[in-house]
Amino acid sequence: MKKQNQISEKSYKASGFIGRYQKLVTETVIPWQEKILWDEAPDTEKSHAIANFINAGKALRGEDTGDGFYGMVFQDSDVAKWIESASYSLMNNPDPELEAELDKVIGYIAGAQDKDGYLNTYFTIKDQDKRWTNLHEAHELYVAGHMIEAACAHFEATGKRTLLDVMQKNTECIYDHFVTKNNPGVPGHPEIELALMKLYRITGDKKALELCAHFLNKRGQDPELFIREADHRTWSVWGSNPRDEGDLEYRQCDKPLRELTRATGHAVRAVYLYAGMADYASETEDKELQGACGRLWKNIVERKMYVTGGIGSTVLGEAFTVDYDLPPDTAYAETCASVGLMFFASRMLENELKGEYADVMERAFYNTVLAGMKLDGKRFFYVNPLEVNPGISGIAVTHKHDLPVRPKWYQCACCPPNVARLIESFGKYAYGENESTSFCHMIASGKVVFRNGMTLECETDYPHGMKVKYTVKGNGKLAVEWRAGSSRAL
């Protein structure tokens, strides 16, 4: 299919406002997170994430695993997102020392991969016999998705296949289990869908595309799937029960995806899933899936999104609730959810060149994603309320989650590396292209070199100033998505 808009440009060298944020991530956030992953950061919760990979390698070799596994069941994803943000940083600012550090960590990851391609430190160190038996809670496919995204970014940045080969082998393992052997299951936490689309585009691996289709097509076809899975096991990670009222809607598996009309459940999982749906739909021209994505988008932005671009209004399950339930003082509005909303918007732009998608990306980025990180790069909001009440917020039981001050790194650290990877890859969302036209979706100072032969330089103080100057070189046209939602070719 000839796409209307590809989300990836050849290169973007940021300056101005975005350049300053990328500099902060490169010089402060990435080194700080690396220290955390190695448990070397003072006064910070233990991560143990890299040690988990080292110990998993020992387990596979039959050696003593020492202090074993520590952390959340999805702890591997912290390393994956750090690799992804560090890889994007290398695209913007080549750094031999950082590249060598990535090579070392990737070596530990490769050493933790089982001979059949399986890769997950929790199940390799603790429960090898329980693999694939708790998709409802255990995040195996979610972790694999983040590792695939990291592999794609690392290959784009360095041309090295070290991690890409690991994750292609892991994808083969997953494909064999769910497609070839037809074992039942879909991701309890969607994410791998959008990752598989990245892998397919980079490698041309048809199995990645087929596996994405498999998970999308199977989801919701059998609403009792997780219930039967729970009936066949005697263990749990979180103690959640798929028989609980609303659990199927919460996990976006109550009906086939092409029948969905409204956004439900865990907000991050939802927009990760919807991004994968939109991505697959644009690649395959699946009109039914495109229609579902359009309905879900409309439901979110017209009925369930804060003015800041925050989504997921309740702390109970970090979830969407009913239409127009958007309290300012008890808002959850997880930073990761707005990152995911940007993913969804960018994939919708692949299906339809419409300024509304770019407007929502911009709103979420400036008001929630950036707000999720302090300017020192070491403190982060997980929750983004619109209103803080002194003496109540962070204290009263109803407002415990709404903190007035950004905390340091925490053990469930999905948001900080998510912010870092998005800032470093900002050009992929600000600019797009097809064979003849280049698109500017968000105003961003810097220079862009497109694959279609065009070069664009943007000079602006935006968002602090409204004057924008574009200098365009090369053949083709440049389309700028203006705030009114129309597009204009320069």
Side-chain angles (χ1 to χ4, degrees), residues 113-164:
Q113 184 169 42
D114 212 336
K115 59 185 178 181
D116 66 352
Y118 186 88
L119 180 65
N120 185 295
T121 66
Y122 177 88
F123 287 97
T124 296
I125 296 171
K126 294 187 69 172
D127 293 311
Q128 292 192 30
D129 60 329
K130 295 177 181 176
R131 296 174 177 180
W132 308 128
T133 61
N134 190 352
L135 298 175
H136 181 249
E137 298 178 299
H139 288 54
E140 281 167 280
L141 294 168
Y142 165 83
V143 169
H146 275 303
M147 293 299 297
I148 290 169
E149 287 197 88
C152 292
H154 182 254
F155 176 74
E156 283 187 278
T158 67
K160 296 176 181 177
R161 295 190 58 96
T162 46
L163 188 55
L164 192 66

Side-chain angles (χ1 to χ4, degrees), residues 105 131 141 163-164 215 225 266 271 440 458:
V105 173
R131 296 174 177 180
L141 294 168
L163 188 55
L164 192 66
F215 287 138
L225 179 66
H266 190 278
V271 285
C440 176
C458 177

Side-chain angles (χ1 to χ4, degrees), residues 59-339:
L60 292 175
R61 296 190 297 272
E63 301 173 8
D64 182 4
T65 58
D67 51 0
F69 180 91
Y70 174 88
M72 298 287 186
V73 68
F74 50 82
Q75 205 78 351
D76 294 1
S77 65
D78 287 357
V79 179
K81 282 182 279 190
W82 174 77
I83 290 173
E84 189 177 354
S85 57
S87 296
Y88 288 133
S89 176
L90 289 178
M91 294 184 198
N92 301 325
N93 298 282
D95 181 343
E97 290 186 11
L98 179 58
E99 187 171 345
E101 186 61 29
L102 282 172
D103 290 341
K104 181 169 73 172
V105 173
I106 289 169
Y108 292 132
I109 294 171
Q113 184 169 42
D114 212 336
K115 59 185 178 181
D116 66 352
Y118 186 88
L119 180 65
N120 185 295
T121 66
Y122 177 88
F123 287 97
T124 296
I125 296 171
K126 294 187 69 172
D127 293 311
Q128 292 192 30
D129 60 329
K130 295 177 181 176
R131 296 174 177 180
W132 308 128
T133 61
N134 190 352
L135 298 175
H136 181 249
E137 298 178 299
H139 288 54
E140 281 167 280
L141 294 168
Y142 165 83
V143 169
H146 275 303
M147 293 299 297
I148 290 169
E149 287 197 88
C152 292
H154 182 254
F155 176 74
E156 283 187 278
T158 67
K160 296 176 181 177
R161 295 190 58 96
T162 46
L163 188 55
L164 192 66
D165 287 343
V166 167
M167 293 318 299
Q168 277 201 271
K169 185 177 179 181
N170 181 242
T171 300
E172 289 269 357
C173 173
I174 298 170
Y175 183 95
D176 181 63
H177 182 82
F178 291 101
V179 180
T180 304
K181 296 178 180 175
N182 200 29
N183 285 300
V186 295
H189 190 313
E191 204 283 342
I192 194 172
E193 299 86 350
L194 66 90
L196 288 167
M197 293 307 300
K198 286 186 178 182
L199 184 64
Y200 169 69
R201 291 211 175 98
I202 283 179
T203 65
D205 186 346
K206 290 290 182 66
K207 285 188 175 180
L209 184 67
E210 291 171 18
L211 185 57
C212 177
H214 176 85
F215 287 138
L216 294 177
N217 292 332
K218 290 291 185 180
R219 190 169 205 90
Q221 293 286 352
D222 178 7
E224 302 290 306
L225 179 66
F226 287 140
I227 293 173
R228 285 199 302 278
E229 179 192 78
D231 288 343
H232 283 86
R233 57 177 162 79
T234 58
W235 64 284
S236 175
V237 177
W238 313 103
S240 58
N241 186 349
R243 294 185 183 277
D244 289 345
E245 183 179 357
D247 187 83
L248 296 177
E249 253 194 10
Y250 178 75
R251 297 177 193 277
Q252 298 90 31
C253 61
D254 56 311
K255 62 180 65 174
L257 298 183
R258 290 167 180 80
E259 298 177 12
L260 295 179
T261 59
R262 58 191 182 89
T264 62
H266 190 278
V268 177
R269 301 180 193 196
V271 285
Y272 279 2
L273 174 63
Y274 305 159
M277 290 166 58
D279 212 353
Y280 180 82
S282 72
E283 187 68 40
T284 62
E285 296 186 280
D286 188 322
K287 299 301 182 184
E288 279 192 294
L289 206 55
Q290 286 177 2
C293 290
R295 294 190 297 270
L296 293 164
W297 173 268
K298 187 178 177 68
N299 182 249
I300 291 173
V301 301
E302 293 185 0
R303 297 166 181 254
K304 293 177 178 174
M305 183 181 75
Y306 285 97
V307 69
T308 58
I311 56 172
S313 60
T314 179
V315 65
L316 301 176
E318 305 171 335
F320 293 110
T321 61
V322 297
D323 292 351
Y324 310 114
D325 177 30
L326 298 166
D329 59 332
T330 59
Y332 200 74
E334 184 180 342
T335 302
C336 281
S338 286
V339 170

